[in-house]
Amino acid sequence: MDKDDRNTRQAAAPALEMTGAQMVIRALKDQGVTYIFGYPGGAVLPIYDALFAASDIVHVLVRHEQGAVHAAEGYARSTGKPGVVLVTSGPGATNAVTGITDALMDSIPLVVLTGQVATHLIGNDAFQEADTIGITRPCTKHNWLVKDIDDLARILHEAFQIAVSGRPGPVVVDIPKDVQFKKRPYVGPAAVAHRTYRPPTEPKPGVIEKAVALMAEARRPVFYTGGGIVNAGPAASAGLRELVELTGFPITSTLMGLGAYPASGPNWLGMLGMHGTYEANNAMHDCDVMICLGARFDDRVTGRTDAFSPGSKKIHLDIDASQINKNIRVDLPIVADAGKAIAAMVRVWKARKYAANGAALKQWWAQIGRWRAKRCLDYKPSSAVIKPQYAIDRLYEMTRGRDVYITTEVGQHQMWAAQRFKFEAPNRWMTSGGLGTMGYGLPAAVGVQLAHPESLVIDIAGEASVQMTMQEIGTAVQYDLPVKIFILNNRYMGMVRQWQQLLHGSRYSHSYSETLPDFVKLAEAFGAAGFVAERPDELDAKIAEMIAVDKPVLFDCRVDQKENCYPMIPSGAPHNEMILSDAEDEAAELGEAGKMLV
Amino acid sequence: MQQNNRTERHTIAVLADNEAGVLARVVGLFSGRGYNIESLTVAEVDPARHTSRITIVTSGTPEVLEQIRAQLGRLVPVHRVVDWSIDKPGIEREMALVKVAGAGEKRVEALRMADAFRARPVDTTHTSFVFEITGSPSKLDSFIDLMRPLGLVEVSRTGVAAISRGPEAM
């Protein structure tokens, strides 16, 4: 049904009366929702009852509400559409809070519907009552408690509008049980628009011209791009590729922006930041013009802010004005949608027949070549034990050319995946960047696989992280989602162990797993398939088997327990003081100031 | 970032939808991000359009104040944010009720001071006055300081209300 058709229908039947619960389902359909992730409970029973009769919405029953939110995030991140979650009041809502906060930090559009106790019970400490609006106020883009059935349809439509527009983010609609039972005429989305919320998306006149003029004069430029490009849609990524090709400038990206520019592209420097490449971080430090597109100068990226890229003019494009000058003062802010601003940059560059400073750029690329020659991602190979870097490299090679989506948990494995797995397109890489949520990857993979049933969806995991939301393998089995959970098992919370080694005198306080489940048996107990690989020479064959199995897989890849993730900017250090290997870190001074940071 | 450690005091007006929780959003933003609130005044100003006006006096470095304005502007129910200390010249007024108790010379002196400040007694007993005083926050500060040795018992202040000079709205 196209939009016009829908409008006509609404016009023909304007006073379609229904219960609040039916309104929820109808609004979801009208918003084009096909999947919702949820868990029933007392305060959402009327909505689940309405769902029982709904044929064109697929409800995915998770095993824990946190899993529902991460699955919705994976769905949203891989499709560009908002993810929808339905949970009950009290513990249902509080369990969802980690996922909601994760979505806020990474700008993922979600609509989270929570049940609430009946309006006359609110404030009475009723059974399964929690102040969901109060709890989620700081971790949502916006939230609503719907006390009046007359507001319900409008708020549901506004919720979708706000979640996806401007800088995307999660919203919560808290619906008391009595409101779900009340009857009113339904209002369709065409009749609803938020009274005032209109985030600007067009760049201010003149600002793009200034930016492009600055770029054309640059002698040592660098593009520093982020998740904002991915959020702005595929056209923004296409525009970025054209802009990079036009200018010939080098480009690096944050963790969240991987894939917007292809890793195989000639101008690609690799990821920047704490575990970014030597060439990317040095280019950031030494550049004279920095073009930041859809990134937010996060502390993982900047390192020590007073020593961050000291000699550069900075252009900062962000759709959220509050990101401008937040961590780093910039010279030229552009508050606009990344796709529109990048397209305008391309237009202006071509129209004014700008050309980059060829001689200076050549020298700059020669300097970058010398940094690249450090081969900062190299590691000491082993034929006795599987090096985690080797495992990622093999996984990449064995899945190359396939239609692959990667999710991760949080820690060393995540950084190795970001450094080594080469992403050629946006929306292929789902990871918890801002909040750093262990347990994100498995449920996110469930959401991704649901949206892309024919694709190969792999969660690159750690054995500690994956145990945080392990139960969602049951969801994968129930819905025939053949996600591959590729666990780099070093028995340590690897990143914690690495920091304890570098900053806390190798005192490995509670970061070693004395006991671990037998992941093969665990997989079998869930109805999934389990594999274990212990030697480098068996890895390829096992990965091939994993890919061939048409079920969810837990792959227990036993890796070197003491491997550290390098290169690394120790916290409190500037970009040009990276540790490249274990040999260097012994000499490196990690002062008290660095210890204060996380 | 070139940190400017000079702390400034600014008065910021926020026009917002008068919906449930809007004040909690503003206050939560300040506490969550570690900003100061020196005073805060809020009331519905347009019942027909359900808009509220929140006037906040805050202090911070120019960088922090820039963030405060941007963060306020990003709240969904907020329509406009104006910093009277930057965007346009404004008039600030605050009202206080000041209770002073005492007898004899001090009582006479309190009444004389109040007259000089154009503070009006709104409650009078044989042993006390309640004065109503309106003016800039610093005028109120001075008056309260002067009342202290004359038997100051209690102060209630409204916080600042601010508006721009000239014919235009904010």
Side-chain angles (χ1 to χ4, degrees):
Chain A
M1 169 163 75
D2 69 28
K3 213 176 167 201
D4 289 337
D5 182 29
R6 193 169 65 207
N7 290 350
T8 337
R9 270 229 218 154
Q10 273 162 17
L16 187 57
E17 187 153 288
M18 56 180 83
T19 66
Q22 288 166 332
M23 239 180 237
V24 169
I25 302 305
R26 177 61 193 269
L28 294 181
K29 280 186 200 169
D30 285 354
Q31 290 291 341
V33 174
T34 41
Y35 294 104
I36 62 177
F37 303 88
Y39 204 103
V44 281
L45 283 177
I47 298 176
Y48 270 84
D49 204 28
L51 198 56
F52 193 71
S55 53
D56 34 8
I57 289 183
V58 177
H59 175 271
V60 177
L61 176 66
V62 294
R63 301 301 186 259
H64 182 285
E65 289 86 350
Q66 184 187 348
V69 186
H70 291 324
E73 285 185 278
Y75 177 87
R77 187 87 183 159
S78 67
T79 59
K81 296 183 206 159
V84 180
V85 174
L86 174 60
V87 296
T88 193
S89 64
T94 57
N95 277 348
V97 165
T98 300
I100 295 170
T101 311
D102 190 271
L104 183 75
M105 293 288 271
D106 286 345
S107 311
I108 311 294
L110 296 184
V111 176
V112 180
L113 308 173
T114 55
Q116 181 56 276
V117 301
T119 45
H120 71 275
L121 288 173
I122 290 177
N124 281 9
D125 302 322
F127 178 64
Q128 293 196 330
E129 182 188 357
D131 177 9
T132 301
I133 291 306
I135 290 168
T136 60
R137 194 176 287 123
C139 65
T140 50
K141 186 172 171 187
H142 197 57
N143 62 12
W144 298 260
L145 170 63
V146 187
K147 280 186 168 168
D148 186 342
I149 179 71
D150 287 326
D151 297 329
L152 180 61
R154 173 183 61 79
I155 287 174
L156 287 166
H157 298 310
E158 278 183 11
F160 276 88
Q161 188 198 338
I162 286 168
V164 301
S165 57
R167 180 179 179 181
V171 298
V172 166
V173 184
D174 198 26
I175 311 171
K177 195 168 181 182
D178 55 331
V179 173
Q180 298 171 28
F181 279 119
K182 280 189 183 138
K183 278 192 160 182
R184 278 296 182 285
Y186 171 76
V187 186
V192 172
H194 192 270
R195 205 145 70 90
T196 51
Y197 184 71
R198 301 282 183 282
T201 56
E202 296 287 348
K204 278 190 188 156
V207 65
I208 296 290
E209 282 76 4
K210 275 190 204 162
V212 175
L214 195 61
M215 285 157 62
E217 285 168 20
R219 303 178 62 80
R220 298 184 310 282
V222 66
F223 283 111
Y224 149 42
T225 63
I229 311 243
V230 179
N231 274 339
S237 292
L240 175 70
R241 290 161 191 225
E242 191 179 1
L243 186 62
V244 171
E245 199 181 324
L246 272 179
T247 57
F249 295 174
I251 173 169
T252 178
S253 162
T254 66
L255 181 72
M256 295 306 292
L258 295 177
Y261 183 81
S264 61
N267 299 41
W268 179 238
L269 303 181
M271 183 176 75
L272 84 166
M274 184 172 271
H275 293 287
T277 66
Y278 188 73
E279 49 272 32
N281 286 327
N282 274 289
M284 288 287 283
H285 188 268
D286 286 5
C287 69
D288 70 340
V289 174
M290 179 186 294
I291 308 117
C292 169
L293 306 174
R296 59 182 175 92
F297 296 93
D298 178 87
D299 56 83
R300 293 295 105 152
V301 158
T302 60
R304 213 174 97 195
T305 49
D306 61 355
F308 175 76
S309 193
S312 61
K313 290 253 188 229
K314 297 173 186 75
I315 299 167
H316 185 188
L317 164 64
D318 203 303
I319 195 156
D320 176 1
S322 74
Q323 301 310 304
I324 307 292
N325 292 334
K326 186 180 74 179
N327 297 336
I328 299 290
R329 284 211 81 76
V330 297
D331 302 277
L332 188 62
I334 306 170
V335 177
D337 172 74
K340 289 183 179 174
I342 291 170
M345 284 176 173
V346 168
R347 244 186 347 261
V348 171
W349 184 280
K350 284 180 177 167
R352 296 277 161 84
K353 298 196 166 53
Y354 276 121
N357 183 335
L361 205 55
K362 203 173 161 198
Q363 274 187 20
W364 179 228
W365 274 111
Q367 173 60 59
I368 289 168
R370 288 192 286 280
W371 289 324
R372 276 178 169 162
K374 283 262 188 186
R375 302 189 54 84
C376 67
L377 297 181
D378 281 4
Y379 63 97
K380 218 182 278 174
S382 164
S383 56
V385 58
I386 301 175
K387 289 283 182 177
Q389 299 95 326
Y390 176 76
I392 303 271
D393 288 355
R394 292 319 302 159
L395 186 67
Y396 172 66
E397 290 300 333
M398 304 276 300
T399 58
R400 208 168 165 173
R402 284 170 177 270
D403 177 18
V404 181
Y405 289 82
I406 300 290
T407 72
T408 75
E409 311 292 335
V410 168
Q412 283 183 322
H413 66 272
Q414 176 191 29
M415 292 297 111
W416 279 314
Q419 290 173 341
R420 313 188 79 86
F421 209 97
K422 297 179 177 66
F423 295 95
E424 299 297 313
N427 306 98
R428 296 279 169 161
W429 164 248
M430 274 54 61
T431 194
S432 170
L435 194 64
T437 311
M438 292 170 73
Y440 168 87
L442 200 171
V446 166
V448 175
Q449 186 78 76
L450 203 64
H452 308 277
E454 303 304 322
S455 307
L456 178 59
V457 180
I458 304 173
D459 170 27
I460 297 178
E463 83 293 341
S465 281
V466 80
Q467 289 184 76
M468 288 209 173
T469 51
M470 182 84 256
Q471 67 277 22
E472 299 305 335
I473 198 81
T475 310
V477 170
Q478 180 181 343
Y479 295 91
D480 291 324
L481 303 170
V483 295
K484 315 299 183 206
I485 313 303
F486 189 77
I487 304 168
L488 297 184
N489 179 357
N490 59 4
R491 295 199 77 102
Y492 278 100
M493 292 149 216
M495 195 58 94
V496 172
R497 194 205 59 76
Q498 177 167 346
W499 281 57
Q500 287 174 334
Q501 180 189 334
L502 298 178
L503 286 151
H504 295 274
S506 300
R507 291 180 295 279
Y508 300 126
S509 184
H510 303 279
S511 55
Y512 181 73
S513 299
E514 297 286 346
T515 63
L516 281 177
D518 178 332
F519 285 107
V520 174
K521 283 187 184 159
L522 185 63
E524 284 163 2
F526 272 108
F531 294 94
V532 59
E534 292 179 290
R535 295 188 323 274
D537 59 6
E538 63 176 350
L539 191 55
D540 279 14
K542 292 279 175 74
I543 290 175
E545 274 189 79
M546 171 186 88
I547 296 168
V549 174
D550 191 24
K551 326 174 165 191
V553 171
L554 284 180
F555 190 110
D556 182 2
C557 183
R558 308 268 174 88
V559 298
D560 188 346
Q561 295 194 354
K562 295 288 174 71
E563 190 71 15
N564 282 337
C565 183
Y566 294 114
M568 177 182 184
I569 303 175
S571 15
H575 271 174
N576 58 349
E577 291 174 20
M578 296 196 80
I579 306 175
L580 291 176
S581 68
D582 273 325
E584 266 180 62
D585 74 57
E586 284 160 26
E589 289 258 325
L590 298 177
E592 287 298 312
K595 220 186 266 187
M596 287 300 292
L597 302 165
V598 283
Chain B
M1 175 156 68
Q2 273 298 96
Q3 277 294 347
N4 190 338
N5 290 322
R6 190 166 33 93
T7 297
E8 296 173 2
R9 192 160 179 272
H10 283 208
T11 303
I12 295 173
V14 178
L15 206 61
D17 286 328
N18 184 21
E19 60 179 38
V22 69
L23 184 60
R25 279 178 216 286
V26 170
V27 172
L29 170 68
F30 274 73
S31 64
R33 293 188 183 264
Y35 308 143
N36 301 314
I37 296 182
E38 293 188 4
S39 85
L40 185 145
T41 311
V42 56
E44 188 171 70
V45 290
D46 186 345
R49 301 194 69 233
H50 298 289
T51 44
S52 278
R53 183 159 169 146
I54 304 170
T55 309
I56 304 159
V57 179
T58 181
S59 60
T61 62
E63 289 79 12
V64 167
L65 289 161
E66 184 183 347
Q67 265 296 297
I68 290 175
R69 291 188 293 272
Q71 294 289 351
L72 283 169
R74 158 171 120 115
L75 296 176
V76 170
V78 167
H79 307 187
R80 283 211 67 192
V81 178
V82 173
D83 186 336
W84 299 116
S85 317
I86 289 188
D87 298 330
K88 43 179 95 172
I91 298 166
E92 292 182 13
R93 287 294 180 270
E94 188 177 2
M95 198 263 271
L97 296 172
V98 180
K99 186 176 283 189
V100 181
E105 257 322 288
K106 285 189 174 173
R107 183 172 158 83
V108 175
E109 180 65 2
L111 197 59
R112 207 179 61 75
M113 289 286 186
D115 192 45
F117 273 79
R118 294 190 196 154
R120 202 156 68 80
V122 287
D123 178 67
T124 308
T125 69
H126 288 298
T127 53
S128 71
F129 290 115
V130 173
F131 295 115
E132 175 194 316
I133 179 168
T134 305
S136 69
S138 60
K139 175 183 165 183
L140 268 56
D141 290 345
S142 320
F143 181 69
I144 291 161
D145 280 345
L146 285 167
M147 288 299 115
R148 221 173 290 279
L150 302 178
L152 182 74
V153 174
E154 195 178 357
V155 179
S156 173
R157 296 175 70 148
T158 58
V160 168
I163 204 159
S164 64
R165 294 181 184 276
E168 288 92 25
M170 75 179 258

